[in-house]
Protein backbone atom coordinates (compact mmCIF):
# COMPACT_ATOMS: atom_id res chain seq x y z
CA UNK A 1 0.00 0.00 0.00
CA UNK A 2 1.28 3.48 -0.86
CA UNK A 3 0.40 6.20 1.62
CA UNK A 4 0.05 9.68 0.05
CA UNK A 5 1.14 11.46 3.17
CA UNK A 6 4.32 9.37 3.41
CA UNK A 7 5.23 10.64 -0.07
CA UNK A 8 4.63 14.21 1.18
CA UNK A 9 6.78 13.67 4.27
CA UNK A 10 9.60 12.14 2.17
CA UNK A 11 9.62 15.17 -0.14
CA UNK A 12 9.62 17.70 2.67
CA UNK A 13 12.23 15.94 4.78
CA UNK A 14 14.75 15.41 2.02
CA UNK A 15 14.02 18.72 0.25
CA UNK A 16 14.56 20.67 3.44
CA UNK A 17 17.72 18.71 4.31
CA UNK A 18 19.21 19.34 0.84
CA UNK A 19 18.66 23.09 1.11
CA UNK A 20 19.90 23.22 4.69
CA UNK A 21 23.22 21.64 3.65
CA UNK A 22 23.87 24.55 1.27
CA UNK A 23 23.69 27.30 3.88
CA UNK A 24 27.42 27.11 4.65
CA UNK A 25 29.29 26.30 1.44
CA UNK A 26 32.85 26.69 0.22
CA UNK A 27 31.70 27.89 -3.18
CA UNK A 28 28.32 29.10 -4.44
CA UNK A 29 27.76 29.15 -8.19
CA UNK A 30 24.87 31.09 -9.71
CA UNK A 31 23.75 29.33 -12.89
CA UNK A 32 23.80 25.71 -14.03
CA UNK A 33 24.81 26.38 -17.62
CA UNK A 34 27.88 24.70 -19.16
CA UNK A 35 30.41 26.98 -17.45
CA UNK A 36 28.80 26.67 -14.00
CA UNK A 37 28.50 22.89 -14.34
CA UNK A 38 32.10 22.54 -15.50
CA UNK A 39 33.34 24.75 -12.63
CA UNK A 40 31.32 22.77 -10.09
CA UNK A 41 32.72 19.45 -11.29
CA UNK A 42 36.37 20.53 -11.16
CA UNK A 43 35.90 21.98 -7.68
CA UNK A 44 33.87 19.12 -6.22
CA UNK A 45 36.12 16.45 -7.72
CA UNK A 46 38.84 17.83 -5.42
CA UNK A 47 36.62 17.75 -2.36
CA UNK A 48 35.33 21.32 -2.40
CA UNK A 49 31.81 21.77 -1.01
CA UNK A 50 29.89 23.36 -3.91
CA UNK A 51 26.30 24.38 -4.50
CA UNK A 52 24.78 25.63 -7.74
CA UNK A 53 21.62 27.70 -7.52
CA UNK A 54 19.73 27.63 -10.80
CA UNK A 55 16.85 29.97 -11.46
CA UNK A 56 15.19 27.78 -14.09
CA UNK A 57 13.35 24.48 -13.80
CA UNK A 58 15.80 22.81 -16.16
CA UNK A 59 19.56 22.71 -15.91
CA UNK A 60 22.06 23.27 -18.73
CA UNK A 61 21.39 26.94 -19.51
CA UNK A 62 21.81 27.55 -23.24
CA UNK A 63 23.52 24.24 -23.92
CA UNK A 64 20.64 21.82 -24.63
CA UNK A 65 19.23 24.23 -27.26
CA UNK A 66 22.41 23.79 -29.36
CA UNK A 67 22.45 25.97 -32.49
CA UNK A 68 19.06 27.33 -33.67
CA UNK A 69 17.34 24.50 -31.82
CA UNK A 70 19.24 21.62 -33.42
CA UNK A 71 20.64 19.63 -30.50
CA UNK A 72 24.18 20.07 -31.78
CA UNK A 73 27.11 22.12 -30.56
CA UNK A 74 30.60 22.61 -31.94
CA UNK A 75 33.71 22.01 -29.89
CA UNK A 76 37.19 23.04 -30.96
CA UNK A 77 40.38 21.02 -30.41
CA UNK A 78 41.16 22.63 -27.02
CA UNK A 79 37.78 21.59 -25.60
CA UNK A 80 38.17 17.88 -26.37
CA UNK A 81 40.06 17.17 -23.17
CA UNK A 82 36.99 18.13 -21.13
CA UNK A 83 34.60 16.36 -23.52
CA UNK A 84 36.65 13.18 -23.01
CA UNK A 85 36.75 13.70 -19.23
CA UNK A 86 32.94 13.52 -19.17
CA UNK A 87 32.76 10.61 -21.63
CA UNK A 88 30.84 12.69 -24.19
CA UNK A 89 30.88 11.31 -27.74
CA UNK A 90 31.79 13.55 -30.66
CA UNK A 91 32.42 13.47 -34.40
CA UNK A 92 34.96 15.33 -36.46
CA UNK A 93 33.27 17.73 -38.88
CA UNK A 94 36.50 18.94 -40.41
CA UNK A 95 39.97 19.38 -38.96
CA UNK A 96 39.73 21.30 -35.69
CA UNK A 97 35.90 21.34 -35.56
CA UNK A 98 34.00 18.63 -33.70
CA UNK A 99 30.26 18.21 -33.18
CA UNK A 100 28.56 16.79 -30.11
CA UNK A 101 24.93 16.23 -29.14
CA UNK A 102 23.99 19.12 -26.88
CA UNK A 103 21.55 17.04 -24.84
CA UNK A 104 24.16 14.33 -24.24
CA UNK A 105 26.65 17.05 -23.24
CA UNK A 106 24.21 18.57 -20.78
CA UNK A 107 23.21 15.22 -19.29
CA UNK A 108 26.82 14.12 -18.83
CA UNK A 109 27.96 17.42 -17.33
CA UNK A 110 25.10 17.24 -14.82
CA UNK A 111 25.80 13.57 -14.05
CA UNK A 112 29.52 14.31 -13.59
CA UNK A 113 28.73 17.13 -11.18
CA UNK A 114 26.20 15.14 -9.16
CA UNK A 115 28.41 12.04 -8.98
CA UNK A 116 31.01 14.30 -7.36
CA UNK A 117 28.48 15.57 -4.79
CA UNK A 118 27.71 18.97 -6.27
CA UNK A 119 24.35 20.12 -4.91
CA UNK A 120 22.18 21.59 -7.65
CA UNK A 121 19.19 23.50 -6.36
CA UNK A 122 16.90 24.52 -9.20
CA UNK A 123 13.97 26.97 -9.17
CA UNK A 124 16.10 29.17 -6.93
CA UNK A 125 17.38 32.60 -7.92
CA UNK A 126 20.44 34.34 -6.56
CA UNK A 127 18.97 37.79 -6.09
CA UNK A 128 21.74 39.57 -4.20
CA UNK A 129 25.32 39.25 -2.98
CA UNK A 130 26.56 39.72 0.55
CA UNK A 131 29.59 41.95 1.09
CA UNK A 132 31.44 42.33 4.36
CA UNK A 133 34.64 44.32 4.90
CA UNK A 134 35.04 44.84 1.16
CA UNK A 135 34.68 41.15 0.20
CA UNK A 136 31.78 39.00 -0.91
CA UNK A 137 31.01 36.34 1.66
CA UNK A 138 27.85 34.77 0.30
CA UNK A 139 24.64 35.25 -1.61
CA UNK A 140 20.99 35.94 -1.03
CA UNK A 141 18.52 33.50 -2.57
CA UNK A 142 14.81 33.32 -3.15
CA UNK A 143 12.47 30.84 -4.83
CA UNK A 144 12.06 31.66 -8.52
CA UNK A 145 8.26 31.38 -8.24
CA UNK A 146 8.29 34.21 -5.69
CA UNK A 147 10.47 36.31 -7.99
CA UNK A 148 8.20 35.63 -10.99
CA UNK A 149 5.07 36.47 -9.03
CA UNK A 150 6.74 39.71 -7.92
CA UNK A 151 5.73 39.01 -4.33
CA UNK A 152 7.32 40.89 -1.50
CA UNK A 153 8.71 37.86 0.34
CA UNK A 154 12.07 38.18 2.03
CA UNK A 155 14.93 35.96 0.84
CA UNK A 156 17.45 33.96 2.89
CA UNK A 157 21.25 34.16 2.91
CA UNK A 158 23.86 31.52 2.14
CA UNK A 159 27.46 31.87 3.25
CA UNK A 160 30.28 31.02 0.87
CA UNK A 161 34.00 31.68 0.83
CA UNK A 162 33.85 32.22 -2.91
CA UNK A 163 31.04 33.04 -5.31
CA UNK A 164 30.97 32.46 -9.07
CA UNK A 165 28.82 34.42 -11.49
CA UNK A 166 27.94 31.82 -14.17
CA UNK A 167 24.71 33.52 -15.18
CA UNK A 168 25.59 33.83 -18.89
CA UNK A 169 24.79 36.85 -21.06
CA UNK A 170 22.86 38.47 -18.20
CA UNK A 171 25.86 38.80 -15.82
CA UNK A 172 23.34 38.96 -13.02
CA UNK A 173 25.64 38.85 -10.02
CA UNK A 174 27.94 41.52 -11.38
CA UNK A 175 24.90 43.71 -12.15
CA UNK A 176 23.40 43.15 -8.72
CA UNK A 177 26.63 44.01 -6.98
CA UNK A 178 27.01 47.20 -9.00
CA UNK A 179 23.67 48.46 -7.71
CA UNK A 180 25.26 48.82 -4.28
CA UNK A 181 26.92 52.04 -3.24
CA UNK A 182 30.62 52.51 -3.93
CA UNK A 183 31.20 49.17 -5.69
CA UNK A 184 33.72 48.92 -8.54
CA UNK A 185 34.67 45.81 -10.49
CA UNK A 186 38.19 45.01 -11.72
CA UNK A 187 37.19 46.00 -15.28
CA UNK A 188 38.70 49.04 -17.03
CA UNK A 189 35.55 51.12 -16.37
CA UNK A 190 34.83 49.59 -12.97
CA UNK A 191 31.46 48.46 -14.36
CA UNK A 192 30.20 46.00 -16.96
CA UNK A 193 31.85 46.65 -20.32
CA UNK A 194 29.11 44.86 -22.31
CA UNK A 195 29.28 42.01 -24.79
CA UNK A 196 30.90 42.55 -28.19
CA UNK A 197 29.41 41.44 -31.53
CA UNK A 198 29.75 37.82 -32.68
CA UNK A 199 33.35 36.80 -33.41
CA UNK A 200 33.97 33.18 -32.46
CA UNK A 201 37.77 33.18 -32.78
CA UNK A 202 38.23 36.20 -30.52
CA UNK A 203 35.40 35.31 -28.14
CA UNK A 204 36.81 31.84 -27.49
CA UNK A 205 40.33 33.19 -26.93
CA UNK A 206 39.27 36.03 -24.66
CA UNK A 207 37.03 33.96 -22.44
CA UNK A 208 39.96 32.36 -20.64
CA UNK A 209 41.62 35.73 -20.03
CA UNK A 210 38.32 37.14 -18.77
CA UNK A 211 37.71 34.26 -16.35
CA UNK A 212 38.88 35.84 -13.11
CA UNK A 213 38.07 37.59 -9.89
CA UNK A 214 35.98 40.71 -10.55
CA UNK A 215 35.56 41.79 -6.93
CA UNK A 216 37.21 40.31 -3.83
CA UNK A 217 35.99 36.66 -3.60
CA UNK A 218 33.65 37.00 -6.60
CA UNK A 219 34.67 35.30 -9.86
CA UNK A 220 33.12 35.31 -13.29
CA UNK A 221 33.00 32.44 -15.79
CA UNK A 222 31.45 31.56 -19.15
CA UNK A 223 29.54 34.04 -21.25
CA UNK A 224 29.30 36.34 -18.24
CA UNK A 225 33.11 36.71 -18.31
CA UNK A 226 33.04 38.01 -21.89
CA UNK A 227 30.08 40.27 -21.19
CA UNK A 228 31.70 41.79 -18.10
CA UNK A 229 35.00 42.45 -19.88
CA UNK A 230 33.57 43.57 -23.26
CA UNK A 231 34.63 40.58 -25.39
CA UNK A 232 32.65 39.12 -28.31
CA UNK A 233 29.93 36.50 -28.26
CA UNK A 234 30.75 33.35 -30.20
CA UNK A 235 27.59 31.45 -31.17
CA UNK A 236 27.13 27.71 -30.61
CA UNK A 237 30.77 26.77 -30.03
CA UNK A 238 31.11 25.59 -26.43
CA UNK A 239 34.75 24.63 -25.77
CA UNK A 240 35.38 28.02 -24.18
CA UNK A 241 32.49 27.64 -21.73
CA UNK A 242 33.84 24.33 -20.45
CA UNK A 243 37.44 25.55 -20.31
CA UNK A 244 36.38 28.72 -18.52
CA UNK A 245 34.57 26.62 -15.89
CA UNK A 246 37.69 24.53 -15.40
CA UNK A 247 39.86 27.63 -15.13
CA UNK A 248 37.71 29.34 -12.51
CA UNK A 249 37.77 26.12 -10.47
CA UNK A 250 41.57 26.10 -10.62
CA UNK A 251 41.82 29.76 -9.58
CA UNK A 252 39.60 29.17 -6.56
CA UNK A 253 41.28 25.89 -5.54
CA UNK A 254 44.61 27.77 -5.30
CA UNK A 255 43.01 29.90 -2.58
CA UNK A 256 41.15 27.29 -0.57
C1 LIG B 1 20.39 31.65 -10.54
C2 LIG B 1 20.58 32.21 -12.76
C3 LIG B 1 20.49 33.57 -12.45
C4 LIG B 1 20.35 33.94 -11.08
C5 LIG B 1 20.70 33.39 -14.59
O1 LIG B 1 23.41 31.09 -20.25
P1 LIG B 1 24.16 29.92 -19.71
O2 LIG B 1 24.18 28.70 -20.54
O3 LIG B 1 25.63 30.44 -19.35
P2 LIG B 1 27.11 29.89 -19.69
O4 LIG B 1 27.98 31.06 -19.61
O5 LIG B 1 27.44 28.72 -18.87
O6 LIG B 1 27.01 29.41 -21.20
C6 LIG B 1 26.71 30.32 -22.19
C7 LIG B 1 26.12 29.60 -23.40
O7 LIG B 1 24.97 28.87 -23.04
C8 LIG B 1 25.75 30.64 -24.40
O8 LIG B 1 24.74 31.32 -24.16
C9 LIG B 1 26.59 30.91 -25.52
C10 LIG B 1 27.79 30.10 -25.80
N1 LIG B 1 26.26 31.91 -26.29
C11 LIG B 1 27.00 32.42 -27.38
C12 LIG B 1 26.20 33.44 -28.15
O9 LIG B 1 26.80 34.03 -29.07
O10 LIG B 1 25.01 33.67 -27.85
O11 LIG B 1 23.57 29.52 -18.30
C13 LIG B 1 23.31 30.51 -17.33
C14 LIG B 1 22.35 29.93 -16.31
C15 LIG B 1 20.93 29.75 -16.88
O12 LIG B 1 20.51 28.43 -16.65
C16 LIG B 1 20.08 30.75 -16.09
O13 LIG B 1 18.78 30.30 -15.85
C17 LIG B 1 20.88 30.88 -14.82
O14 LIG B 1 22.24 30.84 -15.24
N2 LIG B 1 20.71 32.14 -14.10
N3 LIG B 1 20.52 31.25 -11.84
N4 LIG B 1 20.30 32.95 -10.16
N5 LIG B 1 20.27 35.22 -10.71
N6 LIG B 1 20.57 34.28 -13.61
Amino acid sequence: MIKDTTVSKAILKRGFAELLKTIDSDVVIAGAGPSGLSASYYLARDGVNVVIFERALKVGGGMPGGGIGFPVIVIQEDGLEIINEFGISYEEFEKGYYTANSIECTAKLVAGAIDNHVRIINLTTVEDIMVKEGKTNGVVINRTAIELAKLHVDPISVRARFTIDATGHATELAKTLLKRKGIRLTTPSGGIEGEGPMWAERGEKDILLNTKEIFPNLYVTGMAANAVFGSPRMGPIFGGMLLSGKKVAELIKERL
Side-chain angles (χ1 to χ4, degrees):
M1 186 189 119
I2 293 177
K3 222 173 147 188
D4 301 86
T5 50
T6 304
V7 175
S8 305
K9 285 177 194 165
I11 297 289
L12 291 180
K13 190 160 186 201
R14 180 154 175 186
F16 178 74
E18 295 272 339
L19 193 55
L20 191 61
K21 283 182 206 149
T22 69
I23 300 300
D24 277 297
S25 297
D26 293 331
V27 179
V28 165
I29 302 176
S35 65
L37 288 167
S38 167
S40 75
Y41 168 85
Y42 285 104
L43 286 160
R45 196 189 60 171
D46 289 345
V48 180
N49 174 10
V50 186
V51 56
I52 306 182
F53 292 113
E54 168 53 56
R55 167 184 277 145
L57 172 59
K58 72 158 179 66
V59 287
M63 188 175 238
I68 65 163
F70 290 107
V72 179
I73 54 168
V74 170
I75 306 285
Q76 65 276 44
E77 201 85 41
D78 296 355
L80 291 184
E81 185 199 323
I82 300 186
I83 289 292
N84 286 325
E85 170 89 15
F86 284 90
I88 295 165
S89 48
Y90 58 88
E91 290 169 16
E92 187 176 63
F93 174 66
E94 58 181 63
K95 196 167 163 32
Y97 297 80
Y98 302 86
T99 58
N101 179 297
S102 63
I103 298 170
E104 179 188 348
C105 284
T106 306
K108 289 186 173 167
L109 286 171
V110 173
I114 288 177
D115 287 349
N116 282 281
H117 313 294
V118 173
R119 291 196 178 87
I120 303 178
I121 310 286
N122 63 341
L123 292 171
T124 303
T125 297
V126 176
E127 64 157 60
D128 208 347
I129 306 191
M130 303 200 308
V131 177
K132 199 169 175 189
E133 287 156 5
K135 295 178 185 151
T136 63
N137 67 338
V139 298
V140 176
I141 58 166
N142 214 331
R143 304 294 290 167
T144 299
I146 291 173
E147 182 197 27
L148 289 176
K150 298 191 176 14
L151 299 175
H152 183 167
V153 176
D154 272 352
I156 56 171
S157 56
V158 173
R159 282 173 76 78
R161 289 179 67 188
F162 297 101
T163 301
I164 303 177
D165 184 344
T167 62
H169 297 275
T171 67
E172 289 216 10
L173 267 52
K175 275 190 193 140
T176 299
L177 187 58
L178 283 167
K179 283 192 217 145
R180 304 289 166 221
K181 196 171 169 232
I183 300 283
R184 282 183 67 81
L185 305 181
T186 60
T187 54
S189 69
I192 292 166
E193 305 297 335
E195 205 173 284
M198 178 99 93
W199 181 3
E201 164 78 10
R202 191 58 207 285
E204 289 289 283
K205 268 201 186 119
D206 283 7
I207 198 165
L208 289 180
L209 302 172
N210 295 335
T211 299
K212 56 187 168 191
E213 194 175 33
I214 54 169
F215 185 81
N217 297 354
L218 173 66
Y219 287 76
V220 69
T221 184
M223 202 57 233
N226 275 11
V228 165
F229 284 98
S231 289
R233 63 185 301 194
M234 70 295 285
I237 180 159
F238 274 76
M241 300 301 135
L242 304 176
L243 290 162
S244 169
K246 185 176 183 191
K247 179 170 176 193
V248 78
E250 280 159 3
L251 294 174
I252 290 176
K253 278 187 288 186
E254 281 168 15
R255 296 182 57 195
L256 277 166

